[in-house]
Structure formats: structure tokens, C-alpha cells
């Protein structure tokens, strides 16, 4: 399964260009995320993590959005440019 | 008349363009049942008249918020609109793929579209260059670059829309190639006769599958489609995901082809955010901004409120001098005028608060506050956006409830509005002040330096907050089940606020409040007045006050005093024998366990008008105040009477204050809840739950206190 590959966006390092591998389907929240453009291959970067597991500030494609770590857990990413076969 | 809609992601300049197109003809209305503005307007083009609809900003037509539902409903004619001749999709070129995603969805409904590439100036500044012609050829529909704020490109847009109206095929988009699952779903849905009858082409399956995609439990067409899909072995969530991926899979290479980005130094927004979202610096800035906002609502509106109060008294004195004494005069002055004044006093705070909020929203800072406060609000099960409404509620619950409009999720907004009355508003302070002065003023300082009154006051503020958090917790697990709407928020670029826009928002809120909420407040004031006025009852002729007047010599100071006393005695007699007075006596057995006598009972009923009204109502109950020279003396007299006649002890005082901290003793809040939820159900729910809680807590305080040996 694709789930095993890459790291989870919630745990990914700050300020590193990343690339989306997959977004698991855990309800309306992830639907919305995919509609926002969090599709396989899209570029993401974590800009900031609020303290005490607060929300993440993320650059997705060319805009900035904020979301909670639990939502970011549904997203698998890898460093941008790596071969997607992982 | 051609019908044209404007759709687009939030913050793409849709409203700016709408204003450019419609000028002064714009009209703001409401969608049925929800509090989202509906803007329409007209534009004359040649000998044709265009009717334009500005839809709420949305990222997708598969709804997850009321705004998105509206956009979908309007476009599919569910509000009874005629089919649209063209839909202008306003597009931010900086986020081309995400914006075109919406354009595809609109096109899939079978509607002719025109892409308005707005903010081309900002795009150029951001280092983006765009092959507009290539984009047009790839999409198929007209693509018009523009700068709506300057009016650039409006003429070209007009021409493009006119061409699409003349020949709708020009507004078609070369459709995405759909994966097999979508084709299978379409085929399955088409076995349903109703679906076949609804529309043609792609619109048919979109309309058919959408209810399923949106919400599996939705009744109607969706059920049949769901069965059909299940029969065809199609997993709905897989279908839904496949549709999204297919659109992006088609858009991504296209966008890649037509755009080039040259590297730029970090934008202003990025640089400001390094500071504004910093855990330390950002939090400090946040506290400062919120402090100023709160101070403004709480304190700076005071002079205006006083002026309105003064004006209202002057107006009622003037009108009183014009009318003959009688019932008509009473109902006009004490009912209608009091209600109007009771509405107007909220104007300063509402104005200041909405000035602040729309400034924060227009600059882009409001979205940042959600990021900054989310962690703390999450512990309470509330979204970050409920912070500002709750904060404002400390000044006054009425604008606080209104400010909840910025919360997109209906459940979150409802919970916020229902707990807002628990924030200690400024109208409770006079009540606390009188009670504390009456029974705690001479208490020993705690630890030698903390005034007991001050501690109690702090405790009452905390009590409201703690109860609010508990109530939110319970509501989340019962009436409004499920997590609060997940935080997923775009951080818009910082922008200079536009004065016109800010003032328009404030004016709309104010007008809505004055017209809609105001009429409810006036009606409730008249009802309360009637309760305290009927049935009419004359003071017995052998009443001592009556006798005192007849036995003193006319035109003497003693006679004047006697007459003033008689007036008070009459008022007191009337109040005691009115419906409200009788209610006060009737409820005495119920409130006696809280330590309240029937006099306080009348006060509780009378202060329903507004909490601070408790003091004058009590003055009337005790027939006191004739001698008081100013407000302070009056308050002291009322406090003394509470102790002397109602047997108020420190424990009773505490019980009374706890009751006021929790109970919904404010019909303006009820009125605003009624308007904002568009139903009587929720305000009634709020009154019942708050007053029950207040009762139980006061009961616990009084009975518990007695059991512990306090008085
Ligand atoms: N640089 C630039 N800014 C623009 C342009 N058009 C609009 N804006 C700005 O974009 C911001 C958002 O404009 P609105 O018209 O409120 O956007 P909207 O799409 O109606 O936003 P929602 O009400 O959230 O749907 C405002 O600050 C405008 O001044 C433009 O052509 N260029």
C-alpha cells in the first residue's frame, strides 16, 4: 500500500521542499484538502509549527494555509525531487 | 434580460469586479434561512440588460460550508433563479490550478463560463507571467486578463460575456477526461428516469451524483443514485476522490505550460508573517490587537452610549409633554420609546466592534488570529474564529453574538452564540456593584490586602468562562455532535483595508440590527411594560401616603415631599399588583431556596429588559429613591433596602450575583439570537438552559453556604 511510503506531513521537517505522495480518505476534512490541491505530486513546505501541537502553517503549491496536525497526519510526503517509487 | 453569475475562490476580487460591473445598482439581500448576503445588480450592455449575481466566495461546489452550498444552489437553480446565460469565474492567476478547479466544476454543471483573470498587476509583481492565449486555447472558454480594482479589462470582459450569451458553445470548457469509475457511475445513474429528465451531458451525472458525493444520508434523488451506484459496485468516496484527482491531473500540466515564475524576494506578506505568526512576537501582537479592540468596544463607546441615553430621556420627556396622561402615553413612552432607546444604545458598541472586525478581515489579519489562538480554543472544542465574538461578549453579549457571523461552520457558530451570554458583560457590573457595596463593603480584606469585593468580582468573571467551556463541551457531545469544523484556512495576503468596503460592512450590520433586531427588542419591551402595568390597580384611599397628602397644607415643602412619597407609593402599589408583581409573589416559593424573597422575584422579572435595570426596578419595588439626589445615593438606598426589606445577607448577595452571572436576563440578547439563528428555537433553548443552570448554581451557593454555617 502507498501508506507505508514517505513520511507523514505532520512529522515532516520544517522549511524543506516536499512533494505529496498520497492523502488518505478520513472524511470531509481530507476531501477538502484534496480539493485545495493537495494531490499526488503537489509541492508542499512546512513554514511553521505552532507550539504544543498547535496548527501547522503550510505552503501548498503557491498559497499558504493553516491546518491542525491531525489533518496533516492523513498526508504522506517525501522530499521534493526524490523518485516517487521510494 | 440575461442572467449572469460571478463565482470564484474567496479573495479573488469578485466583489470588486461586481461593483465595477453594477455600479450603484447593486442590491444586498439575504438568502432564505441563512445569514449570508446576497448581492445582485444590473448592467446595461447595448440594448440588453444584464442581471448579475455575486456568489459567496468558494473553493469548490461540493459543499462543506454554507457559502459553498449557496454557490451550488444558486448555480443549479435551487433558489428559483432562471438558468444562467453565463458564469464569470473570477480567477487569481497566482493560484491558477486551484482556481481553475472551480471553473471546471461550474462548467461541468453545463453552464457557459468566462474566465476573468483578475489581479494581473499583483501577478506581475509576484514574478508570474502567463500565456493568456494558450490558456484560452487549452480551456476553450474566453479568458480575460484584468485588474478589477482599476477597472482594466472590464470592456474586454463585457465583450467576452456578450459573445458567450450570443453563442453558449463559446463558453464551454474542453472537458477533463474522466477515469473509468466516473464513466461507470454516470452510466449507473442514468438508469434512473429522473436523472435522465434533469439535464443533459455532463451536467446530468454531476447533478445526479452530487447529492451522494456531498452527503450520503441526504434524502431524495441521492438515495436512488446511491442505490444505483451500490448496484454497480461503485464506492462513493473512491468516486469522489477520482473526480478531484482527474480535474487536477488535467489542470496541472496545462498550468505548467502556460505559466512561468521568476524568483522574487519574499513578499511583504511572508515577511510580516515571520513576525505576526511567531510564537512570542506574534502572540504579543495578538494580545495587543485584541486588547485595543476590547478597550474600544468596552470603553470608547461609552460617551456615545451616554449621549444616546441622554437623548432618549430628553426625547421621551418632550413627547411626554405633548401627550395627555393616559395609557397611550404610557405605552408610547415606557414601551415603544424605551424599546427604541434600548435598541439605539447598542449602536456605538456594534459600530466599533464591526469597524474593528472588518478592518481585521480586510487586512487579512483575522485569518491569522485563527492560527494563533487555535491551540487554546481547541482545548475548549471551539474554533479559533470564536475568540473575537467571545471576547466582544465581555463588553456586551449583543454585538458578541453578531460577531459570530465570521464563523463558517454552522455548528461552531451556534455553539459560540449559545455560550456568548455567559461572558460577563458590562450590564452585570452595576448589579454586582450595588450588591457588593451593600453586603461586602465592610468585609475584612483577604490576606490583609485583597478586597473581598474585588475577589468576588474576579470569581464571577471566571465562573462565566468556566461554565461556558463546560457548556460548549456538553453541547459538542449532544446537540452539535462531532469535532468543531477542522481548521483549514487559507492565509490571504496582507492588504491595505478599503475604507469604503469597511464602512459598507459596518453599515449593513447596523442597518440589519436596527431594523430586524430592533423590532424584536421593541416588541419585547412593550410586552414587559404591559406585564408591569396591568391589571391597573388604584392605591386605597386610606393608604398612609394618601392620607399624608390630604392632611398637609397645600404649597408647603412638607406637601411636596408627601406628594413625591405618594407617587412612589402609587408606583410601588401598581407594580406589586401587576402581572409581574403577582408573578414575583407566585415564584417566591421557587426562589426562596435561593434566598430570594418576592421583591427580588419582581426584580428578576423586571430586569429581563436588561440586567442593569434590576436596580431601578428594585427601587420601585421598595418605593425608595424619592429622597436620592443622584445615582450613587439611589444605588445606596436600593442596597440598604435589599438588606432591610429582603433580608439580603452576604450569602444571599452571593447567590444573587451568581444568578446574574449565568442567567439570560437580557431580552436584547434573546432578540439578537432570534435574528441571527432565524428561529425562536435557539433563543428559547438558551433562556431555558441558562436560567436552569443559574437556578441550580444559586441553589448550590445558598444551600451549601447555609449548610456550612454561613449566612
Ligand atoms: N492587486 C489587486 N488587488 C485587487 C484587485 N481586485 C481586487 N483586489 C483586492 O483583493 C481583495 C479582495 O477583493 P474582494 O473583491 O473583496 O474579493 P472577493 O473575491 O469578493 O472576496 P470574498 O468576499 O471573500 O469572496 C481586496 O483587498 C481588493 O482590493 C486587482 O485587480 N488587483
Amino acid at each position: 500500500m502507498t501508506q507505508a511510503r514517505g513520511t507523514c506531513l505532520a512529522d515532516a521537517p520544517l522549511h524543506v521542499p516536499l512533494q505529496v505522495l498520497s492523502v488518505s480518505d478520513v472524511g470531509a476534512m481530507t476531501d477538502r484538502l484534496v480539493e485545495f490541491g493537495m494531490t499526488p505530486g503537489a509541492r508542499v513546505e512546512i513554514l511553521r509549527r505552532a507550539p504544543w501541537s498547535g496548527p501547522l502553517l503550510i505552503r501548498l503549491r503557491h498559497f499558504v494555509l493553516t491546518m491542525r496536525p491531525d489533518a496533516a497526519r492523513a498526508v504522506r510526503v517525501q522530499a521534493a525531487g526524490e523518485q516517487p517509487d521510494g | 434580460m440575461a442572467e449572469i453569475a460571478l463565482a470564484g475562490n474567496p479573495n479573488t476580487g469578485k466583489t470588486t469586479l461586481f461593483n465595477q460591473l453594477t455600479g450603484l445598482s447593486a442590491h444586498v439581500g439575504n438568502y432564505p434561512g441563512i445569514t449570508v448576503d446576497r448581492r445582485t445588480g444590473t448592467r446595461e450592455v447595448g440594448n440588453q440588460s444584464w442581471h448579475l449575481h455575486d456568489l459567496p466566495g468558494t473553493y469548490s461546489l461540493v459543499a462543506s460550508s454554507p457559502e459553498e452550498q449557496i454557490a451550488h444552489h444558486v448555480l443549479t437553480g435551487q433558489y428559483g433563479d432562471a438558468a444562467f446565460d453565463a458564469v464569470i469565474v473570477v480567477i487569481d492567476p497566482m493560484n491558477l490550478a486551484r482556481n481553475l478547479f472551480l471553473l471546471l466544476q461550474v462548467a461541468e454543471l453545463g453552464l457557459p463560463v468566462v474566465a476573468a483573470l483578475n489581479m494581473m498587476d499583483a501577478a506581475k509583481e509576484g514574478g508570474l507571467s502567463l500565456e493568456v492565449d494558450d490558456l484560452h486555447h487549452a480551456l476553450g472558454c474566453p479568458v480575460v486578463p484584468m485588474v478589477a480594482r482599476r477597472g482594466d479589462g472590464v470592456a474586454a470582459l463585457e465583450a467576452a460575456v456578450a459573445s458567450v450569451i450570443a453563442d453558449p458553445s463559446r463558453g464551454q470548457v474542453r472537458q477533463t477526461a474522466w477515469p473509468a469509475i466516473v464513466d461507470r457511475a454516470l452510466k449507473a445513474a442514468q438508469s434512473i428516469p429522473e436523472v435522465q429528465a434533469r439535464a443533459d451531458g455532463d451536467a446530468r451525472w454531476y447533478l445526479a451524483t452530487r447529492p451522494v458525493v456531498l452527503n450520503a444520508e441526504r434524502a431524495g434523488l441521492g438515495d436512488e443514485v446511491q442505490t444505483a451506484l451500490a448496484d454497480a459496485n461503485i464506492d462513493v468516496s473512491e468516486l469522489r476522490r477520482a473526480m478531484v484527482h482527474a480535474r487536477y491531473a488535467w489542470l496541472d500540466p496545462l498550468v505548467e505550460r502556460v505559466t512561468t515564475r521568476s524568483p522574487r524576494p519574499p513578499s511583504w506578506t511572508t515577511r510580516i508573517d515571520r513576525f505576526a505568526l511567531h510564537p512570542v512576537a506574534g502572540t504579543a501582537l495578538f494580545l495587543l490587537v485584541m486588547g485595543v479592540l476590547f478597550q474600544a468596544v468596552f470603553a470608547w463607546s461609552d460617551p456615545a452610549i451616554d449621549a444616546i441615553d441622554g437623548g432618549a430621556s430628553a426625547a421621551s420627556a418632550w413627547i411626554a409633554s405633548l401627550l395627555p396622561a393616559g395609557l397611550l402615553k404610557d405605552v408610547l413612552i415606557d414601551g415603544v420609546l424605551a424599546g427604541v432607546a434600548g435598541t439605539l444604545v447598542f449602536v456605538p458598541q456594534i459600530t466599533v466592534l464591526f469597524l474593528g472586525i472588518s478592518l481585521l478581515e480586510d487586512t487579512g489579519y483575522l485569518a491569522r488570529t485563527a492560527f494563533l489562538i487555535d491551540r487554546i480554543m481547541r482545548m475548549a472544542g471551539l474554533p479559533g474564529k470564536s475568540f473575537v465574538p467571545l471576547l466582544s461578549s465581555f463588553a456586551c453579549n449583543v454585538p458578541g453574538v453578531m460577531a459570530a457571523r465570521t464563523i463558517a461552520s454552522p455548528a461552531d457558530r451556534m455553539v459560540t452564540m449559545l455560550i456568548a451570554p455567559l461572558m460577563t458583560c458590562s450590564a452585570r457590573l452595576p448589579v454586582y456593584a450595588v450588591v457588593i457595596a451593600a453586603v461586602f463593603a465592610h468585609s475584612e480584606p483577604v490576606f490583609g490586602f485583597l478586597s473581598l469585593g474585588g475577589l468576588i468580582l474576579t470569581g464571577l468573571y471566571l465562573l462565566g468562562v468556566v461554565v461556558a467551556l463546560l457548556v460548549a463541551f456538553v453541547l459538542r457531545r449532544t446537540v452539535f455532535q462531532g469535532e468543531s469544523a477542522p481548521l483549514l484556512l487559507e492565509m490571504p495576503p496582507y492588504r491595505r483595508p478599503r475604507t469604503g468596503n469597511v464602512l459598507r460592512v459596518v453599515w449593513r450590520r447596523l442597518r440589519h440590527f436596527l431594523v430586524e433586531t430592533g423590532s424584536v427588542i421593541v416588541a419585547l419591551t412593550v410586552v414587559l411594560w404591559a406585564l408591569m402595568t396591568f391589571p391597573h390597580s388604584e392605591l386605597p384611599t386610606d393608604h398612609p401616603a394618601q392620607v399624608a397628602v390630604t392632611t398637609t397644607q397645600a404649597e408647603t415643602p412638607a406637601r411636596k415631599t408627601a406628594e413625591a412619597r405618594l407617587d412612589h407609593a402609587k408606583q410601588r402599589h401598581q407594580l406589586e399588583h401587576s402581572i409581574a408583581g403577582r408573578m414575583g409573589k407566585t415564584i417566591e416559593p421557587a426562589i426562596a431556596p435561593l434566598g430570594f424573597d418576592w421583591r427580588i422575584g419582581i426584580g428578576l422579572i423586571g430586569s429581563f429588559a436588561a440586567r442593569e435595570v434590576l436596580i431601578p426596578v428594585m427601587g420601585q419595588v421598595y418605593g425608595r429613591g424619592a429622597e436620592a439626589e443622584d445615582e450613587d445615593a439611589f444605588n445606596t438606598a436600593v442596597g440598604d433596602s435589599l438588606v432591610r426589606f429582603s433580608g439580603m445577607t452576604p450569602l444571599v448577595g452571593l447567590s444573587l450575583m451568581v444568578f446574574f452571572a449565568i442567567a439570560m436576563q437580557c431580552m436584547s440578547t434573546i432578540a439578537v439570537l432570534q435574528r441571527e439563528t432565524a428561529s425562536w428555537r435557539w433563543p428559547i433553548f438558551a433562556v431555558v438552559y441558562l436560567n436552569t443552570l443559574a437556578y441550580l448554581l444559586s441553589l448550590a451557593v445558598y444551600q451549601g453556604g447555609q449548610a456550612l454555617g454561613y449566612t
Side-chain angles (χ1 to χ4, degrees), chain A residues 23-25 29-37 39-40 48 50-57 59 61-70, chain B residues 59-60 62 64 68 94-95 97-98 101 237 240-241 244-245 248 252 261 273-274 277-279 371 374-375 378 484 486-491:
Chain A
V23 180
S24 52
D25 189 352
M29 170 67 186
T30 40
D31 285 338
R32 160 48 47 96
L33 206 49
V34 180
E35 286 182 330
F36 253 161
T39 50
R48 199 181 271 293
W52 300 299
S53 332
L56 304 170
L57 194 67
R59 188 192 312 283
R61 292 159 178 258
H62 298 285
F63 66 100
V64 177
L65 69 104
T66 174
M67 62 177 169
R68 291 181 181 165
D70 55 353
Chain B
Y59 295 104
S60 164
V62 180
S64 66
E68 290 167 345
M94 296 294 274
N95 293 299
R98 196 192 70 203
F101 180 87
S237 64
R240 187 166 49 198
R241 186 60 69 83
V244 177
H245 281 173
Y248 271 110
D252 279 339
R261 284 176 188 263
D273 272 344
R274 271 181 210 151
L277 297 180
H278 187 271
F371 172 81
D374 182 73
R375 184 69 194 92
R378 196 171 92 200
S484 75
L487 173 73
L488 191 61
L489 199 62
E490 183 182 358
M491 299 280 124

Side-chain angles (χ1 to χ4, degrees), chain B residues 178-499:
Chain B
W178 295 106
I181 184 171
V182 176
D183 289 335
R184 283 198 292 131
L186 178 54
K187 203 178 279 163
Q190 273 169 353
S191 63
I192 304 166
E194 218 183 315
V195 173
Q196 290 173 350
R198 276 184 81 149
D200 45 30
D202 286 322
R204 193 188 302 163
W205 76 261
Y206 190 81
L207 284 174
T209 54
R210 189 191 159 277
V212 184
V213 170
L214 171 64
N215 182 348
E217 289 107 60
R218 188 157 297 189
L221 185 57
D223 287 343
E224 290 179 351
V225 178
Q226 210 172 353
T227 322
L229 291 181
D231 288 348
N233 251 329
I234 292 166
D235 177 30
V236 174
S237 64
E238 193 185 329
L239 170 66
R240 187 166 49 198
R241 186 60 69 83
M243 284 158 66
V244 177
H245 281 173
R247 293 190 196 106
Y248 271 110
W250 189 70
L251 287 173
D252 279 339
L254 188 160
V255 167
E256 184 85 8
R257 219 166 48 237
V258 300
T259 54
T260 356
R261 284 176 188 263
S262 45
R264 286 287 147 115
S267 64
W268 269 110
T269 296
T270 312
R271 278 187 269 174
I272 296 174
D273 272 344
R274 271 181 210 151
F275 176 82
L277 297 180
H278 187 271
V280 178
T283 307
L285 179 70
F286 172 77
L287 292 177
L288 182 74
V289 171
M290 290 298 132
V292 170
L293 180 66
F294 182 70
Q295 190 63 25
V297 179
F298 196 82
W300 298 350
S301 341
D302 262 1
I305 294 175
D306 290 344
I308 288 172
D309 267 340
S313 330
S316 60
W318 180 67
I319 293 178
S321 70
L322 296 181
L323 292 170
L327 211 53
L328 177 70
K329 174 173 165 178
D330 288 353
V331 72
L332 276 181
I333 306 264
D334 298 326
V336 178
L337 254 174
V340 171
T343 306
L344 289 178
V345 287
F346 291 109
V347 166
Q349 289 184 325
I350 291 176
T351 309
V352 172
L353 178 64
F354 279 97
L355 262 180
I357 290 182
S358 58
L359 265 178
L360 293 181
E361 195 155 30
D362 227 39
T363 50
Y365 188 70
L366 200 63
R368 269 80 185 174
T369 66
F371 172 81
L372 291 164
I373 200 72
D374 182 73
R375 184 69 194 92
I376 291 173
M377 299 305 281
R378 196 171 92 200
M379 292 195 276
L382 291 168
K385 279 260 178 95
S386 63
F387 184 80
V388 171
L390 293 179
L391 179 77
S392 337
S393 296
F394 279 104
C396 176
N397 300 163
V398 170
V401 168
M402 290 173 74
R405 279 186 182 219
T406 51
I407 305 170
S409 139
D412 286 337
R413 179 168 170 230
M414 203 63 107
V415 172
T416 307
M417 289 194 290
L418 289 175
I419 62 170
L422 284 162
M423 304 299 124
T424 299
C425 64
S426 52
R428 280 147 162 132
L429 293 177
V431 176
Y432 297 163
V434 166
V435 173
I436 289 177
V439 289
F440 292 106
H442 306 296
S443 310
E444 294 283 306
V446 178
F447 304 130
F449 66 97
L450 289 170
S451 105
L452 184 61
L455 280 182
I456 290 174
L457 208 54
T458 315
L460 290 167
Y461 271 93
L462 285 178
L463 178 71
V465 173
V466 170
V467 171
L469 293 183
L470 291 175
V471 170
F473 183 85
V474 171
L475 285 179
R476 272 270 162 239
R477 268 148 200 83
T478 52
V479 193
F480 302 104
Q481 280 190 7
E483 283 277 296
S484 75
L487 173 73
L488 191 61
L489 199 62
E490 183 182 358
M491 299 280 124
Y494 288 107
R495 289 201 175 100
R496 192 160 32 83
R498 296 152 296 164
T499 328

